[in-house]
Amino acid sequence: MKKIVKPIFFYGGFNRVKGALRWNRTERRLYILMYHRVDHRSYPLFEDVVHPKDFERQVRFLKKKFRIVDISRLDQSEYFQANNKDCIALTFDDGYRDVYSQAFPILKKYNVPATVFLATGYINTLRLLWYDRLSWILYKTISIPDIKKLAKYEIHPKIAHDVCSFFSEKPSNSLNILRRIAAQLKKFKTKEQNFILESLANACNIEEWPGSNERTMLSWEEVSQMAMHGVSFGGHTVSHPNLNTMEHTDIRNEIITSKLEIEAQTQKPVTVFAYPYGGKEYYNENVVRLVKEAGYKYACTTNVGFETFPIKRPLTMKRKGAPNSPYLFF
């Protein structure tokens, strides 16, 4: 049904109607779109992907309907001037390699700026982010464990129950169950997450990630190439932790170290940050203060919404997740 309804609304003029209403507004809005991956498929990794063809259609639409801006260069006075277009910014979280291989050529083709938030501890490595490790283990498992085996490996009971459900329920339910398990793991500290994932890999009799040269994250060389062609970079911590589970000093180190590393590699100032996971439950006033003290001017959450100029809370800006279809609605 969605495949039928979305094109009807999109091509039937829903956005044009909203565009006409925009003329009656006195304020100009800034929409920040959040992507993770642009590729042909997500399996066996965790994050949803936007297909390259759909991404290109989105970029064409956005360039026609909006003023696309770089949030790392938000000189707000520049946008106070009368303009009949709202602004939009494209952001990519984590630093996946397909941003370079799939999204970057499209951004260059249409001369569109974007910002990539890097979890620097994974850049230039063969490591997987923990939720991709989780996805890999479950999708590629060799030996399906039962509840007793999971208990033997000291897997948290609720997580163990959902792991069993992942293997026993219909394949169409597997993604929702995977997300449910990930939501539980977000609450744990990094050390506890690692223990659970290592135990789960042992219970499933599988190596967490093959010992090949397959790299899912960006290299610093790829970062440098993008930086020379209109792509800016922001901090996203070093290890992508739940900052609310950490001590003050550790939070500060995560925030500052990623900034300094990106600046050293790109030879450009880093003024934007994205909170890992980004919801209100994953950062607090102390975290926001540390982000400001580190020298960031702007920071993005995953709280859904938009900003208006002048931006009232530049360190907790709202974003909108990009859909994995060609159709965008604002």
Side-chain angles (χ1 to χ4, degrees), residues 272-288:
V272 289
F273 181 81
Y275 300 96
Y277 314 122
K280 292 179 180 178
E281 65 271 37
Y282 299 113
Y283 66 90
N284 54 37
E285 290 182 5
N286 178 55
V287 173
V288 174

Side-chain angles (χ1 to χ4, degrees), residues 10 49 96 153 164 177 179 190 242 327:
F10 187 78
V49 301
Y96 285 97
Y153 282 93
C164 290
I177 298 170
R179 287 173 175 164
T190 302
N242 177 349
Y327 311 112

Side-chain angles (χ1 to χ4, degrees), residues 24-41:
N24 294 322
R25 285 197 269 107
T26 56
E27 89 280 357
R28 289 293 165 251
R29 293 178 178 178
L30 168 65
Y31 296 95
I32 305 175
L33 267 183
M34 177 181 64
Y35 295 85
H36 282 87
R37 302 183 59 212
V38 176
D39 208 346
H40 298 275
R41 65 173 190 166

Side-chain angles (χ1 to χ4, degrees), residues 54-70:
D54 290 338
F55 179 67
E56 183 166 7
R57 291 176 70 177
Q58 290 178 3
V59 168
R60 283 203 305 265
F61 167 78
L62 293 171
K63 188 161 186 179
K64 181 178 179 181
K65 299 294 183 181
F66 293 86
R67 182 179 181 183
I68 304 179
V69 299
D70 181 349

